Amino acid sequence: MFSTSFTWNDFLFLLEGAWVTLQLTTWAILLGTVAGLLFGLMRALLPRASLPLAWVLDVFRSVPLLIQFVLFNSLKSIVGLNISAFTVGCIVLGVYAAAYFTEIVRSGVLAVPFTTRRASRSLGLSYLQDLRYIVLPIAMRVAFPGWLNLVLSVMKDTALVMWIGIVELLRASQIVVTRIQEPMLVLCIAGLIYYVMSLVVARLGARLEKRWQEND
């Protein structure tokens, strides 16, 4: 007969950790999307002038995220910044997301055929009008699947914030495992919660993309 020490309160504790995970993901994606959109346009439209920016973003893409968390959290203490660990997590994840979204946006902008842009200019559109009404709509549709995958990736990467003291879903599951000593059960439940969150995001993204296409 199956028996467990896992209680309803343990499940609620995991859900609280999941809520922290969703908050971290939301703030990081907001920061990463805004910054990545700006940086991506700069990289696509001003490739030479934005070369130093590309080098900086390469660092954030290349250095493991865990190292970035530890270094930034240590730097915060050294400099004396009075910000919470949650804020540190949002900033690091946001910059990390921006580094990747920059390349997604850049590739989307460069995917717009030059003949399309030349045709829009021949119709009398200014450079900014061409960018707003022609380039960005096409580029965003090209970039959207990559952005959605980035959201799902950041959601999983939030598990690394446990190393700077944030109790998100994975850390919450470890606390429960330490108490009841049933790792298989607890981790399966935590994995199921991750799956449900990812499934909801993926389904919402697919529905948005489908509606986007229907409005063409």
Side-chain angles (χ1 to χ4, degrees), residues 12 21-22 27 50 59 61 73 103 117 119 122 144 156 181 189:
L12 292 178
T21 293
L22 289 175
W27 286 111
S50 61
V59 172
R61 281 195 301 269
N73 197 50
E103 291 304 305
R117 300 197 63 184
S122 67
F144 184 77
K156 291 180 290 185
Q181 296 299 310
I189 295 174

Side-chain angles (χ1 to χ4, degrees), residues 37 41 45 105 108-109 112 117 128-143 212:
L37 179 59
L41 288 174
L45 303 176
V105 172
V109 172
V112 179
R117 300 197 63 184
L128 291 179
Q129 288 175 327
D130 169 55
L131 189 63
R132 177 180 177 183
Y133 297 110
I134 305 298
V135 176
L136 283 179
I138 297 175
M140 290 302 100
R141 296 185 187 192
V142 173
W212 206 347

Side-chain angles (χ1 to χ4, degrees), residues 35-45 101-103 105-106 109:
L37 179 59
L38 176 61
F39 296 159
L41 288 174
M42 292 174 60
R43 291 288 299 121
L45 303 176
F101 191 53
T102 295
E103 291 304 305
V105 172
R106 186 180 73 87
V109 172

Side-chain angles (χ1 to χ4, degrees), residues 112-132:
V112 179
F114 177 74
T115 53
T116 301
R117 300 197 63 184
R118 185 167 57 185
S120 67
R121 297 302 296 276
S122 67
L123 292 174
L125 294 181
S126 66
Y127 179 82
L128 291 179
Q129 288 175 327
D130 169 55
L131 189 63
R132 177 180 177 183

Side-chain angles (χ1 to χ4, degrees), residues 25-37 90-95 97-98:
T25 303
T26 300
W27 286 111
I29 289 300
L30 283 175
L31 175 61
T33 299
V34 173
L37 179 59
C90 291
I91 292 174
V92 173
L93 282 169
V95 174

Side-chain angles (χ1 to χ4, degrees), residues 63 66-78 164:
V63 177
L66 177 58
I67 295 178
Q68 296 183 41
F69 278 124
V70 174
L71 290 179
F72 193 92
N73 197 50
S74 300
L75 180 64
K76 178 200 73 170
S77 301
I78 295 172
I164 58 174

